[in-house]
Amino acid sequence: MKSFAITVLAIMFSTGLVAQNKNVTETSKTTVTTVKDSDGEKKVVRTQNTEQQQNIEFQNAESNALNKDVKATPVQVTSTTQITTPDGTTRTVDVDRSAYYTLGDHKYQVRVDNKGYTMMNDNRKAGVLRQLSPNSYIYQTKDRTSVGYFDEEGNLVLQTYDDKKDDIIVEIYKRSN
């Protein structure tokens, strides 16, 4: 019975000694933005967490050589952003779409707000984007409502129904660098 207990303990403690088969790198970047206005100072805290995982594989795994070369494998990157607004609410954004976009001669800025994104044009609020599903948004202005998404290049694509023409109008806001 004593040898059985020792064997069980040895197995339990040895399972934690197995080598990892992944390289994992986690980074965190916190940005605090202070805005001063007539109401006083407001702080917006943005924390971006990035995790990179890469499987470790050998080029010639079946060989009897002592030192083996590591094969290059793809890296999976997962990034989430947590935003804490001045009113104390915190929300998590999987992909932060905050950037500058252009449509024709007009330049727009998409900024994260408490419930989604605000689209600004010449420091004036042009409309709001609210997330419906992972890459589907509703865009609301004073006079129209559109459905939008971000394409593979990161451009904002808005689709609006025109009831006079009975047609869909597609606008593509190109992402600027």
Side-chain angles (χ1 to χ4, degrees), residues 56-150:
I56 298 173
E57 296 178 9
F58 295 118
Q59 287 182 355
N60 204 2
E62 289 78 30
S63 74
N64 292 332
L66 184 58
N67 295 324
K68 298 179 183 179
D69 293 328
V70 177
K71 179 171 56 171
T73 57
V75 178
Q76 292 89 23
V77 179
T78 306
S79 179
T80 58
T81 303
Q82 283 189 330
I83 300 166
T84 305
T85 57
D87 63 358
T89 59
T90 301
R91 68 184 194 100
T92 302
V93 178
D94 290 333
V95 179
D96 190 1
R97 304 290 188 176
S98 298
Y100 287 94
Y101 297 86
T102 56
L103 178 67
D105 295 335
H106 299 286
K107 189 170 190 174
Y108 296 88
Q109 180 184 15
V110 174
R111 291 193 281 196
V112 174
D113 65 10
N114 293 346
K115 297 180 181 177
Y117 296 99
T118 301
M119 186 176 275
M120 306 291 287
N121 182 11
D122 295 329
N123 290 326
R124 287 190 216 126
K125 186 176 176 180
V128 293
L129 281 166
R130 298 296 182 243
Q131 188 169 6
L132 298 172
S133 63
N135 190 22
S136 179
Y137 296 86
I138 192 163
Y139 177 67
Q140 179 71 45
T141 65
K142 293 177 184 175
D143 56 351
R144 73 174 182 163
T145 302
S146 304
V147 176
Y149 62 93
F150 292 91

Side-chain angles (χ1 to χ4, degrees), residues 6-22:
I6 292 173
T7 305
V8 169
L9 286 173
I11 290 172
M12 287 175 54
F13 287 112
S14 66
T15 57
L17 301 176
V18 177
Q20 285 186 339
N21 59 354
K22 289 186 179 184

